[in-house]
């Protein structure tokens, strides 16, 4: 029996361990880094289970906040911070445009990690149904924020460079071999966008 199936049977909540991500964050950011240590202010959103609402991390230890914001339901376990448990912030605020505006931004560059520019189609399997439901949850707020965008805001949604072969597979999130191609595609597309016609 594979590690992921064993973990799912044992925990009944998730198939992946958060430890590799936690270690990557420690190695990259430093184990004790706090929001207050960062040279640029950062706000991280997560979905609080107990409050059934978005929660913004702006102070304190950085790694637990990032883990909380990255706790994709079913893939990673909820992250406990203090007395609450958190899931992926994309559930409640995938592209927090309004938060940027509330902080005073009038020029906003959106580098999204989802596929908000790709059309959704009616699902035909239970797995597709779950994926489409998650995408609707992620996209509805973005659509509302776009509709309410003030005229004095200069918004730039940076291109992703497009999907790669196999992206539609449920396990595509684990394909680290495609990361360099994704980065290169997004970099080229964004550079072309920023340089303009």
């Amino acid at each position: 029996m594979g590690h992921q199936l064993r973990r799912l049977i044992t925990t009944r909540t998730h198939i992946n361990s958060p430890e590799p991500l936690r270690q990557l964050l420690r190695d990259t950011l430093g184990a004790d880094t706090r929001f207050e240590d960062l040279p640029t202010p950062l706000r991280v959103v997560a979905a609080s289970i107990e409050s059934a609402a978005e929660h913004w991390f702006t102070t304190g230890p950085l790694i637990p906040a990032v883990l909380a914001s990255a706790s994709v339901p079913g893939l990673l376990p909820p992250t406990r911070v203090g007395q609450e448990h958190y899931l992926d912030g994309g559930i409640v605020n995938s592209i927090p445009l309004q938060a940027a505006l509330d902080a005073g931004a009038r020029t906003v560059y959106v580098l999204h990690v989802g596929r908000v520019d790709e059309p959704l189609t009616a699902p035909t399997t239970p797995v597709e149904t779950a994926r489409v439901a998650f995408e609707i949850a992620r996209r509805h707020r973005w659509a509302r924020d776009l509709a309410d965008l003030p005229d004095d805001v200069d918004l730039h949604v940076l291109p992703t460079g497009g999907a790669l072969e196999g992206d539609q597979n449920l396990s595509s999130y684990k394909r680290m071999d495609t990361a360099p191609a994704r980065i290169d595609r997004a970099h080229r597309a964004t550079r072309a966008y920023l340089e303009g016609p």
Side-chain angles (χ1 to χ4, degrees):
M1 185 182 314
H3 293 297
Q4 290 178 321
L5 181 58
R6 189 175 306 120
R7 189 174 296 111
L8 180 60
I9 291 169
T10 303
T11 68
R12 296 187 216 161
T13 61
H14 60 281
I15 61 174
N16 294 309
S17 168
E19 291 314 309
L21 177 56
R22 186 184 320 274
Q23 190 58 52
L24 175 66
L25 293 171
R26 285 180 184 145
D27 293 347
T28 305
L29 304 171
D32 300 319
T33 301
R34 300 176 61 81
F35 280 87
E36 296 85 351
D37 301 330
L38 300 174
T40 302
L42 175 67
R43 300 174 72 193
V44 175
V45 67
S48 167
I49 293 174
E50 287 80 3
S51 301
E54 68 185 66
H55 176 85
W56 287 91
F57 292 94
T58 58
T59 62
L62 186 59
I63 291 176
V66 173
L67 283 171
S69 185
S71 293
V72 177
L75 298 182
L76 291 170
T79 298
R80 183 176 179 156
V81 180
Q83 297 303 309
E84 293 189 61
H85 297 83
Y86 297 93
L87 292 171
D88 183 345
I91 296 170
V92 291
N93 205 342
S94 182
I95 303 173
L97 177 58
Q98 189 58 50
L101 301 181
D102 291 346
R106 284 299 169 257
T107 300
V108 179
Y109 292 88
V110 175
L111 176 61
H112 61 90
V113 295
R115 297 181 181 103
V116 296
D117 51 347
E118 293 179 14
L120 294 176
T121 58
T124 58
T125 68
V127 170
E128 285 180 18
T129 301
R131 184 187 63 77
V132 167
F134 186 71
E135 279 299 312
I136 291 169
R138 290 180 64 232
R139 295 179 187 196
H140 88 280
R141 184 162 184 172
W142 168 241
R144 186 183 71 212
D145 286 351
L146 279 179
D148 295 339
L149 189 68
D151 292 336
D152 66 335
V153 173
D154 189 15
L155 176 67
H156 301 273
V157 180
L158 302 177
T160 64
L164 294 175
E165 182 68 32
D167 278 355
Q168 68 281 5
N169 297 336
L170 186 60
S171 62
S172 65
Y173 74 94
K174 296 187 295 183
R175 292 179 53 209
M176 292 296 106
D177 61 313
T178 62
R182 288 185 191 288
I183 292 168
D184 184 55
R185 278 183 164 193
H187 182 260
R188 282 188 281 119
T190 297
R191 177 179 233 161
Y193 170 84
L194 294 174
E195 290 174 351

